[in-house]
Amino acid sequence: MSETPTVETHAFQAETRQVLHLMIHSLYSNKEIFLRELVSNASDALDRLRFTAIADDSIYEGDSDLRIEIEADEEAGTLTIRDNGIGMSRDDVMENIGTIARSGTRAFLDRLSGDEKMDAHLIGQFGVGFYSSFIVADKVTVLTRKAGEAAESGVRWESDGGGEYSLEPVDKETHGTEVILHLKADENEFLNSWTLKSLVSRYSDHIGFPIRMPEEVTSGEAEKGEEADTRVEWKDVNKASALWTLPKSEISDEEYQSFYKYLSHDLDDAMCWAHNKVEGSQSYTTLLYIPETAPMDLMLQRDERTGLRLYVNRVFIMDAAQQLLPHYLRFVRGVVDSDDLPLNVSRELLQENELSGKIRSAVIRRSLDMIGKVAKDDAEQYEKFWNQFGAVIKEGVVEDFSNRDRITPLLRFASTKGDGAKHVVDLAGYIERMPEGQEAIYYITAENHQAAANSPHLEVFRKKGIEVLLMSDRVDEWMMAYFTEFDGKPFKSVAKGDINLASIGKEEAKDEEAEEAKDESALDADLLKKIGESLGDHVSEVRSSQRLTDSASCLVLGDQEMALHLQRLLEQAGQDVPDSRPVLELNPTHPLVEKLAGEEDQQAFGDLSLVLFEQALLSEGASLEDPAGFVRRVNSLLLEK
Ligand code: ADP
């Protein structure tokens, strides 16, 4: 270290600057959350120190009374949040405080709209953290020193929240971190000890460490002319008992919610939670939350997941979301506290350990039960949940076979029944509505809801009043490759394979319409062959359709083939797609098809065949190889007398 400590100035990363600016503006109406965020950081630092001390308690440097102190200085206009936790080295400070290290920052910024209300909400999902200090402070000073290092290795960081921050080495006797907020002139309310206490009890009552504030204590009466004997004592202002260790009956909903916010950094309430204690030969407690809105990291890679904190005997060990939560429940937040895992449990051990396997199963079961309960009790709330997390839950159908029976009743789909729009149905309800003779659960997958809802494949189903599930999430086609039946009923794509609806709704089938349909002669085999030859490699076969009532043509795949929209997606992503050619189905009663049957001119026959094929492609949402050619062909048809 140099003899004369120098102050260095660094510029914030561009993204950090942007987030900072936004945060200050859009979170103003929630400004008091800065205290929760700083206390939460302090508590994490204490957790980490305690964890390090398991292996070597000399890291405490003789001070194992872990605590957070909040101190206001009215004269200076400063508010200090101090911890004797793990502290930060110079590199830590540069990495953690000079940048916004979270993954997805860019994606987050791209989603911002400029509408303050919506952006505030997004920032809440993103997690605000340390930078929320700048909502109330026009300058922030951080003094920190890593536990176990020399006093001279302390660091002083300072910034006014503009484009830069300064760094300077300092001597710091005690390890841990002190965040000093130089409050803006009109934020003096945060110097008031009553205000501070009530914020602590609202936001941080049940973190596992004491939060202390100084209080003047007067002992003995002041004699006339003499000064009273006053001294400052540090008093606990929170309950400091980890929330999950309390009996459920002693915890209010409000306390559960504030603990959730402390855990998740979410600005919104949790949708629901489940708190369970298992006692016996192996004891553990789980407190699990389902957020109301999807956190920013929902689409993160498998090894980046966080959100489930593992404690052993009240000591925070690590974030074990990867070990204890399956990928499809990555939005679950919470705490697991085991009395029986070893304190030095490693990630590897967690992976193999029998007890952690049990805990993992319990976490999955409880999470799914909790979601199932909302589904059962509160359809409106559940629909909101489904819109946020449905696509993620669907991954579970494929990934977690052993819990499939718990997951599949949670699924919701748009359907052709009901009010048309995005009517949401569940599978049991679908089966209940099936008419006599219907054996399969019919569905269609498409690129988006509109394409699914308007697909020509649905025509005969609509006509016969048979419900079809409309699937347009990206995961749907993948899920359906593995999800072959529900409650003994097989799934059947209306766009794949043969469709035979003759035996459905036998009663009604007697009516004239159905009889008539039967009589409608299929297209002549020679004609079909001729169309097939004219289309060459485009199709594998041309046949008469049972599916179409209004449209002239549609494309059909084999039962095992991948939907065309998914094939296109994979091709665009540069992946190999198995070569498959669709079947072209033609509606024998459609005037264009009738015209084709009577067409004698070779050229016109070829053009019309191609137009029918191209129309089928277009209604699949595909783009044409030769759009200009298509336009020409259609125009010449339009202009024909
Ligand atoms: P988050 O807490 O969500 O990670 P923050 O911006 O609040 O985001 O903090 C960034 C990082 O800075 C933390 O992850 C932590 O490593 C470090 N940090 C913040 N406050 C403290 C503290 N009081 N003691 C030690 N490290 C801290």
Side-chain angles (χ1 to χ4, degrees):
M1 191 160 295
S2 62
E3 297 253 308
T4 42
T6 45
V7 184
E8 298 169 19
T9 306
H10 296 265
F12 282 121
Q13 239 185 345
E15 287 170 3
T16 307
R17 250 195 338 257
Q18 240 173 310
V19 171
L20 245 162
H21 179 80
L22 267 159
M23 196 170 284
I24 295 168
H25 287 89
S26 56
L27 285 185
Y28 191 74
S29 52
N30 274 315
K31 59 185 172 178
E32 76 279 359
I33 57 156
F34 80 90
L35 194 62
R36 180 185 81 204
E37 295 297 312
L38 295 179
V39 165
S40 162
N41 281 349
S43 147
D44 287 348
L46 295 172
D47 269 333
R48 274 194 275 163
L49 183 69
R50 188 159 63 181
F51 177 68
T52 315
I54 296 170
D56 177 6
D57 67 5
S58 69
I59 195 95
Y60 284 140
E61 301 177 12
D63 180 13
S64 62
D65 174 27
L66 301 182
R67 63 192 181 273
I68 298 164
E69 294 175 350
I70 300 179
E71 189 174 10
D73 181 336
E74 282 192 38
E75 257 167 53
T78 59
L79 178 66
T80 300
I81 291 89
R82 187 180 302 123
D83 65 70
N84 58 343
I86 191 83
M88 285 178 275
S89 66
R90 183 179 182 280
D91 286 351
D92 292 340
V93 172
M94 298 249 331
E95 201 170 301
N96 296 324
I97 307 285
T99 54
I100 290 211
R102 254 173 293 256
S103 7
T105 308
R106 192 66 261 166
F108 158 73
L109 287 170
D110 289 345
R111 279 174 61 191
L112 295 171
S113 61
D115 173 334
E116 250 172 48
K117 228 174 168 178
M118 277 165 63
D119 290 350
H121 197 74
L122 275 175
I123 288 177
Q125 287 173 261
F126 179 72
V128 287
F130 170 79
Y131 288 102
S132 58
S133 320
F134 288 103
I135 310 174
V136 294
D138 47 24
K139 187 165 79 177
V140 178
T141 312
V142 179
L143 295 171
T144 185
R145 197 258 290 168
K146 195 146 189 156
E149 315 243 313
E152 309 88 84
S153 66
V155 183
R156 182 176 194 276
W157 176 100
E158 192 166 85
S159 175
D160 62 5
E164 293 174 337
Y165 63 89
S166 69
L167 265 188
E168 182 183 2
V170 287
D171 281 1
K172 189 171 182 306
E173 287 303 321
T174 52
H175 60 83
T177 304
E178 212 173 306
V179 179
I180 304 158
L181 308 179
H182 306 263
L183 295 175
K184 292 179 184 166
D186 50 353
E187 303 296 353
N188 281 344
E189 56 174 312
F190 296 112
L191 296 171
N192 178 298
S193 75
W194 189 86
T195 308
L196 291 168
K197 276 181 200 164
S198 80
L199 286 177
V200 168
S201 76
R202 171 138 40 105
Y203 287 128
S204 312
D205 223 9
H206 286 295
I207 67 164
F209 298 99
I211 300 175
R212 296 192 183 141
M213 283 176 61
E215 207 169 280
E216 284 195 352
V217 186
T218 314
S219 52
E221 286 291 310
E223 295 285 329
K224 257 206 181 118
E226 273 181 45
E227 293 240 331
D229 182 14
T230 53
R231 60 207 151 73
V232 169
E233 266 182 27
W234 288 89
K235 291 260 168 88
D236 287 4
V237 290
N238 69 335
K239 297 205 177 91
S241 44
L243 186 81
W244 67 90
T245 62
L246 304 175
K248 281 201 237 187
S249 56
E250 288 178 18
I251 310 175
S252 68
D253 286 2
E254 232 180 3
E255 287 172 312
Y256 275 119
Q257 291 289 18
S258 70
F259 189 70
Y260 165 72
K261 290 175 180 162
Y262 153 74
L263 269 184
S264 65
H265 299 272
D266 194 339
L267 285 179
D268 296 331
D269 279 350
M271 178 178 79
C272 56
W273 57 88
H275 184 188
N276 297 84
K277 280 190 173 68
V278 175
E279 280 170 67
S281 60
Q282 282 158 336
S283 322
Y284 59 88
T285 301
T286 54
L287 171 56
L288 304 169
Y289 290 93
I290 309 287
E292 201 152 80
T293 36
M296 269 306 287
D297 58 2
L298 197 60
M299 290 303 156
L300 282 190
Q301 297 306 308
R302 279 156 202 271
D303 51 1
E304 290 179 89
R305 280 183 295 133
T306 60
L308 192 62
R309 297 161 69 97
L310 176 67
Y311 290 74
V312 173
N313 275 318
R314 258 64 72 209
V315 176
F316 172 73
I317 305 296
M318 65 174 98
D319 197 300
Q322 280 169 67
Q323 286 74 26
L324 298 179
L325 271 179
H327 199 239
Y328 72 92
L329 291 176
R330 58 190 177 275
F331 52 83
V332 173
R333 298 285 177 260
V335 169
V336 171
D337 190 350
S338 155
D339 291 349
D340 302 295
L341 284 169
L343 272 169
N344 62 354
V345 63
S346 63
R347 292 197 184 275
E348 292 68 35
L349 200 94
L350 268 186
Q351 215 82 327
E352 303 151 5
N353 179 287
E354 197 189 329
L355 172 58
S356 64
K358 267 193 193 157
I359 295 177
R360 180 182 155 98
S361 310
V363 166
I364 298 176
R365 220 174 41 243
R366 299 225 158 95
S367 305
L368 292 174
D369 287 351
M370 177 165 43
I371 299 167
K373 194 167 176 315
V374 179
K376 201 165 137 265
D377 298 345
D378 188 345
E380 201 179 314
Q381 177 71 274
Y382 191 70
E383 200 173 324
K384 276 194 222 150
F385 164 82
W386 187 253
N387 289 336
Q388 295 276 327
F389 302 110
V392 178
I393 292 277
K394 285 175 182 172
E395 296 170 16
V397 175
V398 179
E399 288 182 353
D400 190 357
F401 193 78
S402 61
N403 282 300
R404 196 175 267 194
D405 290 348
R406 283 194 157 79
I407 301 169
T408 52
L410 302 176
L411 300 175
R412 295 292 180 274
F413 299 100
S415 140
T416 51
K417 269 278 150 71
D419 56 11
K422 264 205 163 189
H423 192 65
V424 176
V425 303
D426 64 292
L427 295 171
Y430 178 99
I431 289 179
E432 254 169 48
R433 288 185 294 275
M434 278 171 35
E436 204 175 324
Q438 183 181 344
E439 294 303 330
I441 301 172
Y442 291 105
Y443 71 95
I444 184 164
T445 62
E447 216 153 13
N448 54 54
H449 179 74
Q450 276 307 316
N454 296 329
S455 166
H457 295 107
L458 299 176
E459 287 170 5
V460 67
F461 292 85
R462 283 230 162 84
K463 188 158 181 201
K464 290 200 143 217
I466 298 169
E467 183 172 5
V468 179
L469 302 177
L470 307 172
M471 305 191 187
S472 52
D473 269 342
R474 262 192 197 185
V475 300
D476 286 329
E477 178 73 10
W478 175 63
M479 172 177 75
M480 295 315 289
Y482 295 85
F483 189 24
T484 50
E485 58 145 69
F486 177 81
D487 204 11
K489 307 281 184 221
F491 283 100
K492 173 101 182 92
S493 164
V494 301
K496 294 180 186 178
D498 281 332
I499 293 289
N500 184 355
L501 305 179
S503 59
I504 300 182
K506 279 232 164 59
E507 302 289 294
E508 294 150 39
K510 284 201 186 91
D511 69 32
E512 288 158 43
E513 207 176 24
E515 287 300 316
E516 201 181 290
K518 246 184 172 179
D519 282 339
E520 270 159 11
S521 53
L523 293 164
D524 177 65
D526 285 342
L527 173 67
L528 292 172
K529 193 158 164 256
K530 203 171 142 202
I531 302 170
E533 280 164 5
S534 127
L535 288 173
D537 277 350
H538 288 310
V539 296
S540 61
E541 191 193 333
V542 182
R543 65 184 181 216
S544 273
S545 185
Q546 308 276 332
R547 290 176 165 83
L548 301 174
T549 60
D550 302 324
S551 301
S553 61
C554 70
L555 296 174
V556 175
L557 296 169
D559 277 319
Q560 305 306 324
E561 282 176 329
M562 191 191 293
L564 293 170
H565 67 97
L566 192 66
Q567 290 188 26
R568 283 196 298 278
L569 199 76
L570 292 177
E571 267 166 15
Q572 279 159 13
Q575 300 203 26
D576 280 340
V577 177
D579 197 25
S580 67
R581 280 178 298 151
V583 170
L584 177 68
E585 284 197 359
L586 298 176
N587 176 0
T589 60
H590 194 281
L592 272 181
V593 176
E594 282 167 355
K595 177 175 162 64
L596 179 66
E599 183 60 66
E600 275 164 17
D601 179 83
Q602 192 84 347
Q603 173 73 32
F605 184 89
D607 278 359
L608 186 48
S609 300
L610 197 50
V611 164
L612 288 170
F613 169 71
E614 288 171 318
Q615 286 186 346
L617 269 180
L618 284 175
S619 56
E620 281 287 339
S623 49
L624 301 177
E625 269 172 32
D626 175 17
F630 172 74
V631 171
R632 196 165 3 92
R633 285 184 280 280
V634 169
N635 284 351
S636 74
L637 273 166
L638 289 173
L639 293 171
E640 259 175 37
K641 297 249 165 57

